[in-house]
Amino acid sequence: MRTIFHTHIGKTGELFQPEPREAEHLFKVFRARPGDKVLVMDGRGGRAEAEVVDKKQLRFLELLPEIHQEIELDLYCAIPKKAKLDSLLPQLPGLGVRALHPLLLEHSVATGENPERWELLLREGCKQSGNPRLPQLYPPVSLEEALEDVRRSGAVLYYGSVTPADPGSEAPGAVRAWFVGPEGGFTAEEEAQLLAAGGRPLKLGNWIMRLESAAVAGLAVLNRLVPLFFALFLFLLGSGCSESSDVMKHPLMFRAERCRAEGEFQLALRFYNRLLAKRPDSSLLHLKLATLCDEDLNDPLGALYHYNAFLALAPASPDAEAVQRYKQMAKAKILRDLKRESLPVPPADALEKQRILTEALKKENTRLVRALGDLTKRYNQLREYALRSSAARSTRGVPAVSGGSDNEELYTIRSGDTLSAIAQEYGVSLRSLMQSNGLNERSILRAGQVLKIPR
């Protein structure tokens, strides 16, 4: 049964809409359908069974009894580096942690905080473990402030130490505070402060553990869940060998999920693919990519590829049957896109009307081409006449060229010359000039042409 968080557990039969991030996972990632049952937790211990009504609403079916924990655990822990923190946080709900207080100590390396991101990882831990109580997050505090908190709460204080101590010793009280130092350990002054506050040293084996391992092992011992060596085995198995858990804790997965919830689908695709390059055999990652391509990117081909990859990697998965259905739907969508729709049949007279229109346009085009040719020719004639007239006005009195016989003189025509102007210039009749050169009234003069001037 899928699990979601909702701030309010209502009455039986009451309808409600999950918050956007939870709705994104429920309807788009897990493809919940009407009639599916969902476990609802409010993060404060309240639980209820609900039923999906449609793609937006659920209905409360039955309120479930609260689960009471015999021992309350508060974790005061130095902040590990990001990757180690991602491994630690989802483990805390399953270990029964009530509150998480980040510690700022002398040897602390990481000091930043991202409450929104931390809460998402804690929620994942609640969903995986079934613990309906979300650990309460507090801002980072100094050791002095943390010890004052413990004093006010009346919790029994334990802290990690390399000094010999009996890890099985019990102390009265149902609230226990577990202090875990940074990789460099507590300083001598800090350990003295813990002892002065009534802290009990707890040695977890003969060797010094890493921060995240010591946090989980100490919580398991104080909660009397399992023997110490088995607690460590479960932690290492959960954080290192579980493919699904490992992928969900990865920073790239967190970025991809956040981008997808905010509608940045291309950016989510980029982060998913970057993580896929690191975890190519992750069936969960292929499923998330398939639903992203199918639902948000309108990429059925990409969805089909990732559905096939999921089924090849996890054929026995509980989701395999549903994925087979989604795979068939993606294939059908691809076929619809590839199928060409036939052109509509035109009316009986449409072709003849089109032929008549085409012929009319051809004739009109021929007429326009002919008219354009006539206009171009006329334009060129007028332009040539204008040029000749202009040249005639500027070349009056140009001497004739030599080389003629005794009875004639030669003249080279320039642009703009006319026969009448040349005849007048040399004092001869136009008729004799034309007869000497074999010209008539329709003759066209060309620049460079040589005329004979009679004497």
Side-chain angles (χ1 to χ4, degrees):
M1 184 183 296
R2 304 297 183 190
T3 303
I4 65 170
F5 274 83
H6 191 64
T7 55
H8 169 69
I9 302 295
K11 299 178 180 180
T12 301
E14 181 179 331
L15 295 174
F16 70 96
Q17 291 185 354
E19 62 182 69
R21 189 181 298 275
E22 297 292 334
E24 175 79 17
H25 282 275
L26 183 62
F27 295 117
K28 290 195 174 182
V29 178
F30 296 121
R31 300 291 190 86
R33 296 179 296 176
D36 288 352
K37 301 299 187 296
V38 178
L39 176 64
V40 183
M41 300 190 298
D42 62 6
R44 300 182 299 276
R47 300 183 304 153
E49 183 178 328
E51 179 184 35
V52 176
V53 177
D54 52 38
K55 289 188 176 182
K56 293 184 178 180
Q57 295 188 106
L58 290 84
R59 177 187 293 109
F60 289 111
L61 295 180
E62 180 184 2
L63 303 184
L64 303 177
E66 293 190 12
I67 300 176
H68 298 282
Q69 190 164 305
E70 182 181 352
I71 298 175
E72 299 286 358
L73 294 173
D74 294 337
L75 176 61
Y76 291 81
C77 182
I79 305 173
K81 293 181 179 178
K82 187 174 181 180
K84 297 177 181 178
L85 184 66
D86 291 348
S87 298
L88 174 61
L89 290 175
Q91 311 296 323
L92 301 186
L95 293 164
V97 173
R98 179 181 69 171
L100 172 60
H101 302 261
L103 278 179
L104 299 177
L105 303 169
E106 186 172 337
H107 290 164
S108 293
V109 177
T111 58
E113 59 175 311
N114 189 337
E116 180 185 358
R117 181 169 172 275
W118 292 10
E119 182 175 335
L120 285 177
L121 293 170
L122 291 172
R123 282 192 176 195
E124 290 298 324
C126 285
K127 292 176 182 179
Q128 292 169 4
S129 66
N131 184 356
R133 295 198 310 171
L134 187 69
Q136 188 171 357
L137 276 173
Y138 288 89
V141 293
S142 65
L143 181 59
E144 292 77 9
E145 292 171 318
L147 292 176
E148 179 61 24
D149 286 343
V150 173
R151 186 190 66 77
R152 286 197 300 265
S153 69
V156 181
L157 192 158
Y158 292 86
Y159 68 94
S161 174
V162 295
T163 59
D166 180 9
S169 61
E170 291 284 346
V175 181
R176 300 175 182 183
W178 172 226
F179 279 65
V180 182
E183 295 292 348
F186 294 111
T187 64
E189 292 78 9
E190 289 169 344
E191 189 161 357
Q193 287 180 272
L194 290 165
L195 281 171
R200 296 167 174 260
L202 185 60
K203 183 179 181 182
L204 301 171
N206 296 323
W207 315 110
I208 298 175
M209 294 183 180
R210 301 186 70 88
L211 187 159
E212 64 274 17
S213 300
V216 172
L219 290 168
V221 171
L222 294 176
N223 204 12
R224 298 178 298 183
L225 294 176
V226 289
L228 174 59
F229 72 92
F230 192 55
L232 288 176
F233 171 75
L234 288 178
F235 171 69
L236 294 175
L237 181 66
S239 63
C241 301
S242 170
E243 175 268 329
S244 175
S245 176
D246 184 42
V247 169
M248 287 302 301
K249 297 172 194 171
H250 200 283
L252 288 173
M253 175 63 79
F254 172 79
R255 294 179 186 177
E257 296 286 271
R258 182 175 62 185
C259 290
R260 185 173 183 180
E262 294 174 355
E264 297 288 343
F265 302 128
Q266 289 294 341
L267 195 55
L269 178 67
R270 175 183 169 189
F271 286 127
Y272 279 137
N273 281 327
R274 284 176 59 185
L275 182 53
L276 186 63
K278 299 175 182 290
R279 302 287 191 274
D281 296 330
S282 170
S283 60
L284 174 64
L285 190 53
H286 279 290
L287 183 58
K288 286 185 175 292
L289 276 164
T291 56
L292 178 70
C293 292
D294 201 356
E295 294 290 334
D296 302 317
L297 297 177
N298 193 27
D299 179 13
L301 191 60
L304 183 61
Y305 169 79
H306 290 293
Y307 283 140
N308 283 330
F310 172 84
L311 294 171
L313 292 168
S317 168
D319 296 319
E321 183 179 351
V323 170
Q324 284 285 5
R325 293 199 304 270
Y326 306 145
K327 172 184 170 181
Q328 295 303 320
M329 292 168 62
K331 290 173 78 172
K333 188 174 183 180
I334 293 172
L335 291 175
R336 285 197 304 270
D337 292 341
L338 292 176
K339 183 180 178 181
R340 295 182 178 178
E341 296 184 0
S342 58
L343 294 173
V345 179
D349 60 343
L351 187 60
E352 180 62 19
K353 288 181 179 179
Q354 188 65 36
R355 188 191 66 77
I356 294 173
L357 178 61
T358 302
E359 291 296 330
L361 290 175
K362 284 182 179 180
K363 292 179 180 179
E364 180 67 13
N365 183 62
T366 301
R367 185 187 68 79
L368 291 174
V369 169
R370 187 181 298 113
L372 179 62
D374 293 341
L375 288 174
T376 302
K377 184 177 180 180
R378 178 62 176 162
Y379 168 78
N380 290 335
Q381 289 175 343
L382 291 174
R383 180 172 178 273
E384 184 177 357
Y385 177 78
L387 291 174
R388 288 177 179 175
S389 299
S390 177
R393 287 191 297 271
S394 62
T395 58
R396 293 292 179 261
V398 177
V401 298
S402 61
S405 64
D406 293 339
N407 297 325
E408 61 184 18
E409 188 177 355
L410 301 180
Y411 176 80
T412 302
I413 296 176
R414 297 188 177 185
S415 179
D417 283 346
T418 62
L419 289 174
S420 58
I422 296 172
Q424 185 179 1
E425 183 72 24
Y426 284 93
V428 298
S429 67
L430 178 60
R431 183 178 186 84
S432 62
L433 180 62
M434 288 191 295
Q435 287 178 348
S436 297
N437 293 278
L439 303 175
N440 55 45
E441 291 82 356
R442 293 189 297 275
S443 298
I444 299 175
L445 301 181
R446 296 187 301 275
Q449 181 179 352
V450 177
L451 295 180
K452 298 175 183 179
I453 306 299
R455 290 183 180 177

